[in-house]
Amino acid sequence: MKNLAWLLTTIPLFTACSPAPETDSSVPAAEATAADNSGIQAGVDYHSFSNPAEVTVTHLDLDLTADFAASVLSGSATLTYQKQTAQADTLIVDTRDLNIQSVTANGETLDYQLQPADPELGAALEIDLPERGNKVTIEYATSPQASGVQWLTPSQTAGKEHPFLFTQAQAVHARSFIPLQDSPQVRVTYNATIHTPEALLAVMSAANDPDTERDGEYDFTMPQPVPSYLIALAIGDLQFKPMGERTGVYAEPALLDAAAEEFADTESMLEATEETYGPYGWDRYDLLILPPSFPFGGMENPRLSFITPTVIAGDKSLVSLIAHELAHSWSGNTVTNATWRDLWLNEGFTTYLTYRIMEMIYGHDRYRMEAVLGYQDLQEDIAALPANDQILAIDLRGRNPDDVFSDIPYEKGALFLRELEQKVGRENFDQFLLNYFKHFAFKSITTDEFIAYLNDTLLAEYPDKLDSERIDQWIFKPGIPADAPMPTSDAFSIVDQARQDWLSGEKSATNIDTAQWTVHQWLYFLNNMPEELSDKQLAELDDAFGLTTSSNNEIAHSWLMIAVHNEYQPAYDRLYDYLVSIGRNKLVKPLYRELSKTPQGKAFAQKAFAEAKPGYHPLTIKANEGFVN
């Protein structure tokens, strides 16, 4: 692992929670026509084989052993279920590449069938239920190639002495390490016992005891019902440091102090969010800092958000990621999308809350800058995506549910909520959100249920300010509706002027006064450069600002994209190191995609990918192997 400064990077400034949105700008934009949603049944999960309408799993008991030598989790999952119909006699759960060893109930073996596997969704496990009781126990082991588990060797960690394991279940990867009803509409409580090597600590998206004895056996409880994609496990050489009364951070020793200092405002964020949107419902809120191979910026696993180390910037400039994952404690974890078509109910609300939290803690100027950058990300996606993928209530039938992750559910969803706020007033909209989170607490809902609630509340209260036709346009039509709110920032005016003066030759790069520029101004400066620049221009920028050697890898990312567009060779050594040392898909995928457009670039990408692949997460490999093959 490189030193900490080398790893610095950011999230997309209001996304990357859940998996950071990934889009492919090589996809041509389609004509702006609405999707054919006529055949979609609201609430039907097209990405799960399970049958919760007949038999619903309500609780999970796990007993698993981590075998680092074999890269396998093995043990048992006991499912407590409730029959929804008296005649129900089969429980169907989701699996992917699991070695099912036995299924029992009441001490007796049950008949079961493991159906042929679908390449995207895995295989249905159909269990004949016993005549009495309400529990079945599945003995099983995971595959070393489980899509939701990454096993790291000591050399791939910060300490380089012990191995590391972490899971990533969203969207449908929980089934690769637990046989369960892997649908967000099915919520379960769970208990778990995890067996590890004695030198390692296990943590989960559950109640963690920071003072637990490190003895190789760890017990967990999750008393609140959660969807399967929020079940998470990590095992490594972890230590804990508190940041406040209810907040703290787990990390490898080499990263612990830096992480605690960087994220010291987490407790203040928690308190500010509670004051506006109601009590935090999950007891503690801790962070887990993962190795740099983590494929996303962060994951909102309840009680314990999983975080990339690449946001430890030393200046708190990238902590909107923490605000985003914290906000999910209300929007996403407490009120959850019922299917992946409804993801915008998670991510749009959470992105809106992220902006609000950042404004509360860091002020209006920073909020405005981040909002402009988020809006530009949204515009890029709308220009690149087919019309049907620009719709909030997206049609994902027959597709991998990971395809839902773009800036559409995040930034378009947040922009829609900002319009509602502006039309009814911030105080009134805050009251609406507080009531909404309370009304649907610990439930999974559909877009249709949200619209019905909106009709009964805001539309009924403000018929002169809101109308259903406009709301349907936001949710079911592509693009951004006319006259939608457009964020602006005075802080970017000087950046625009500086860029224009340099491009026109009126001012040299060394004469641009950047002493007071923030990270957001630098990103705006680079992201809005013309696509084609000369080697002379690029060298001038690089010499003046040291962009190739920037210690902030979000700035470096923007610069490297410019370098690849223009085949600026002096940046290619850094580009290579960047690709092989960072596994965050949001950052590496655009570079692989751009490199693959020329024969020379593709050869370069192939070499970097081959070296990086052993340390990449399975999801990062899957997302990028098409560019190098």
Side-chain angles (χ1 to χ4, degrees):
M1 175 180 284
K2 301 289 185 180
N3 61 42
L4 183 59
W6 180 261
L7 293 175
L8 301 182
T9 185
T10 76
I11 59 166
L13 283 158
F14 280 102
T15 55
C17 63
S18 345
E22 297 290 346
T23 58
D24 187 347
S25 61
S26 64
V27 178
E31 294 183 5
T33 57
D36 178 12
N37 288 320
S38 58
I40 295 177
Q41 298 182 55
V44 173
D45 190 340
Y46 294 97
H47 300 98
S48 172
F49 298 113
S50 63
N51 62 335
E54 289 79 39
V55 183
T56 308
V57 175
T58 60
H59 181 78
L60 167 68
D61 287 289
L62 282 175
D63 192 316
L64 296 176
T65 297
D67 184 341
F68 281 89
S71 299
V72 165
L73 289 169
S74 62
S76 66
T78 298
L79 309 179
T80 301
Y81 59 87
Q82 180 177 344
K83 291 185 177 181
Q84 303 300 325
T85 60
Q87 64 270 31
D89 58 6
T90 304
L91 169 64
I92 305 176
V93 299
D94 296 293
T95 74
R96 178 185 282 132
D97 298 326
L98 296 182
N99 176 10
I100 306 299
Q101 296 159 356
S102 69
V103 182
T104 60
N106 308 314
E108 299 178 355
T109 299
L110 299 179
D111 291 332
Y112 66 88
Q113 282 189 314
L114 187 63
Q115 297 296 340
D118 176 274
E120 300 290 354
L121 303 180
L125 176 62
E126 300 178 355
I127 302 169
D128 293 346
L129 292 177
E131 294 183 0
R132 59 186 178 87
N134 65 340
K135 295 182 180 182
V136 298
T137 297
I138 305 169
E139 298 282 343
Y140 71 99
T142 64
S143 163
Q145 290 77 43
S147 64
V149 185
Q150 184 167 23
W151 302 82
L152 298 174
T153 64
S155 65
Q156 295 169 321
T157 67
K160 304 193 182 303
E161 293 184 12
H162 300 282
F164 204 107
L165 170 156
F166 66 86
T167 65
Q168 170 58 39
Q170 196 178 37
V172 293
H173 302 286
R175 64 191 68 177
S176 74
F177 58 95
I178 308 171
L180 39 56
Q181 293 182 320
D182 195 10
S183 171
Q185 64 190 253
V186 179
R187 305 180 73 105
V188 298
T189 54
Y190 75 86
N191 298 328
T193 298
I194 306 296
H195 306 272
T196 75
E198 287 192 7
L200 304 183
L201 176 68
V203 293
M204 292 193 75
S205 56
N208 293 280
D209 179 5
D211 299 318
T212 188
E213 182 181 356
R214 193 174 296 222
D215 60 3
E217 182 175 311
Y218 304 98
D219 296 316
F220 303 93
T221 61
M222 170 50 83
Q224 293 96 343
V226 297
S228 54
Y229 75 88
L230 293 178
I231 300 174
L233 166 68
I235 302 170
D237 180 18
L238 298 170
Q239 293 183 0
F240 176 82
K241 188 168 186 177
M243 297 186 296
E245 184 179 348
R246 290 177 291 171
T247 59
V249 60
Y250 291 89
E252 291 185 78
L255 300 177
L256 186 63
D257 289 342
E261 183 176 353
E262 190 78 8
F263 307 134
D265 294 335
T266 304
E267 190 85 21
S268 298
M269 291 181 181
L270 176 59
E271 293 170 352
T273 312
E274 281 188 311
E275 186 175 340
T276 306
Y277 300 114
Y280 177 74
W282 303 88
D283 189 27
R284 291 191 56 82
Y285 181 71
D286 295 320
L287 308 176
L288 169 66
I289 311 304
L290 291 171
S293 62
F294 186 51
F296 308 115
M299 181 62 207
E300 66 270 19
N301 301 312
R303 296 172 177 254
L304 185 68
S305 288
F306 283 22
I307 305 295
T308 172
T310 58
V311 294
I312 305 175
D315 59 4
K316 300 182 181 179
S317 62
L318 314 179
V319 296
S320 56
L321 171 67
I322 307 304
H324 188 93
E325 306 311 334
L326 171 65
H328 266 303
S329 301
W330 284 262
S331 51
N333 297 2
T334 299
V335 183
T336 305
N337 52 243
T339 73
W340 298 113
R341 178 195 186 219
D342 311 302
L343 178 71
W344 75 275
L345 294 175
N346 278 22
E347 299 301 349
F349 278 73
T350 296
T351 303
Y352 172 84
L353 260 63
T354 303
Y355 285 116
R356 294 292 305 280
I357 294 169
M358 295 299 291
E359 185 177 16
M360 294 174 196
I361 302 301
Y362 299 105
H364 194 63
D365 289 344
R366 178 161 173 176
Y367 153 73
R368 288 167 67 93
M369 285 190 288
E370 294 187 339
V372 170
L373 292 172
Y375 186 78
Q376 290 188 338
D377 288 342
L378 174 60
Q379 288 180 307
E380 289 180 7
D381 268 13
I382 287 177
L385 290 169
N388 289 349
D389 285 0
Q390 301 171 24
I391 294 169
L392 289 179
I394 185 174
D395 183 0
L396 288 169
R397 290 174 295 176
R399 301 174 62 182
N400 189 313
D402 288 339
D403 291 347
V404 73
F405 293 101
S406 74
D407 276 303
I408 302 303
Y410 292 75
E411 293 291 347
K412 182 178 177 180
L415 200 63
F416 168 44
L417 298 184
R418 189 176 300 129
E419 177 171 293
L420 295 180
E421 174 209 315
Q422 291 182 3
K423 288 191 173 184
V424 305
R426 174 167 285 190
E427 184 177 344
N428 295 327
F429 191 63
D430 281 346
Q431 185 62 49
F432 164 79
L433 289 177
L434 190 153
N435 294 339
Y436 167 80
F437 295 139
K438 183 178 180 180
H439 182 79
F440 290 111
F442 300 104
K443 295 180 181 178
S444 299
I445 68 171
T446 65
T447 296
D448 302 72
E449 288 174 294
F450 167 75
I451 293 173
Y453 182 77
L454 194 63
N455 288 336
D456 292 341
T457 54
L458 284 186
L459 266 76
E461 296 167 20
Y462 303 100
D464 56 328
K465 298 180 179 179
L466 302 174
D467 67 83
S468 57
E469 183 177 348
R470 176 75 171 184
I471 289 167
D472 284 351
Q473 184 180 11
W474 271 105
I475 297 174
F476 297 111
K477 299 295 176 62
I480 303 173
D483 302 319
M486 181 180 295
T488 60
S489 171
D490 294 339
F492 288 154
S493 300
I494 60 171
V495 178
D496 283 327
Q497 188 62 53
R499 188 191 313 102
Q500 182 56 41
D501 288 346
W502 176 73
L503 287 169
S504 66
E506 294 182 21
K507 184 178 290 188
S508 68
T510 55
N511 288 329
I512 299 175
D513 183 6
T514 62
Q516 302 302 317
W517 281 15
T518 67
V519 168
H520 310 94
Q521 288 172 301
W522 276 110
L523 292 173
Y524 184 79
F525 178 71
L526 294 171
N527 291 346
N528 291 281
M529 283 287 179
E531 186 164 319
E532 293 186 8
L533 294 170
S534 69
D535 275 357
K536 181 180 179 181
Q537 288 175 308
L538 292 167
E540 182 184 354
L541 288 174
D542 206 4
D543 290 343
F545 305 124
L547 294 169
T548 296
T549 58
S550 172
S551 62
N552 184 306
N553 274 356
E554 180 72 13
I555 293 174
H557 171 79
S558 293
W559 172 246
L560 292 173
M561 286 295 294
I562 293 172
V564 174
H565 279 307
N566 294 278
E567 298 184 345
Y568 177 63
Q569 295 299 318
Y572 273 48
D573 284 348
R574 174 67 194 279
L575 172 63
Y576 189 89
D577 288 343
Y578 189 92
L579 291 172
V580 301
S581 64
I582 294 173
R584 181 154 171 229
N585 204 33
K586 173 68 178 181
L587 299 177
V588 299
K589 182 178 178 181
L591 292 167
Y592 279 121
R593 181 179 61 227
E594 197 61 31
L595 284 165
S596 71
K597 293 179 180 179
T598 67
Q600 299 90 342
K602 188 167 187 175
F604 181 95
Q606 288 171 334
K607 183 179 179 182
F609 188 81
E611 181 175 339
K613 187 176 179 180
Y616 276 165
H617 188 278
L619 298 180
T620 302
I621 295 172
K622 183 178 180 181
N624 293 285
E625 58 189 356
F627 298 124
V628 298
N629 290 338

